[in-house]
Amino acid sequence: MAARAKRDGIALYLAARDRRVSWAVRAFAVLVAAYVLSPIDLIPDFIPVIGFLDELILLPLLVAVIVRFVDPAVMAELRAEAARRAERPTSLLGAAIIVGVWTILAGLAVWVLWPRAA
């Protein structure tokens, strides 16, 4: 189920950029992706049990709505491309660069916010 969710997430990203998909569906896909990436949830995650309901129920439901409005032939092609992209190896160099950037930013934040003697 997690592999299918990952594949469909990539497929929706591809659908949002595909000209064969209507602009309304592409706009809705972008909004769903923004919600997924947003640190603000409809139900905050720190609330026990129900905090994860939006990830377990709302997001799959939104994905299903988007998939329903995409032409099945186009969606099959996008899912095949998404599966191909998901199988590609991850870049350790890319991960190292991201970790390095975050480390530098955290160090700068500590340096700027550290109290200094007057």
Side-chain angles (χ1 to χ4, degrees):
M1 192 162 130
R4 192 177 93 195
K6 180 180 178 181
R7 183 203 64 204
D8 280 350
I10 296 170
L12 289 182
Y13 165 77
L14 295 172
R17 300 181 62 168
D18 195 314
R19 297 285 177 203
R20 296 174 292 176
V21 177
S22 73
W23 69 268
V25 174
R26 290 193 336 236
F28 190 57
V30 168
L31 289 176
V32 170
Y35 177 74
V36 168
L37 298 174
S38 171
I40 301 170
D41 283 345
L42 187 63
I43 304 169
D45 289 341
F46 63 82
I47 298 174
V49 181
I50 64 168
F52 293 103
L53 283 181
D54 59 340
E55 283 90 2
L56 293 175
I57 296 172
L58 184 62
L59 290 178
L61 182 66
L62 292 172
V63 168
V65 168
I66 294 170
V67 167
R68 183 180 175 118
F69 286 104
V70 176
D71 179 36
V74 172
M75 196 64 206
E77 182 181 324
L78 294 173
R79 281 182 172 149
E81 174 65 18
R84 188 184 65 76
R85 288 186 181 199
E87 290 175 356
R88 289 194 314 205
T90 57
S91 170
L92 293 178
L93 176 61
I97 290 171
I98 297 293
V99 168
V101 168
W102 278 108
T103 303
I104 290 169
L105 290 174
L108 285 173
V110 167
W111 182 73
V112 168
L113 298 174
W114 195 266
R116 294 184 176 85

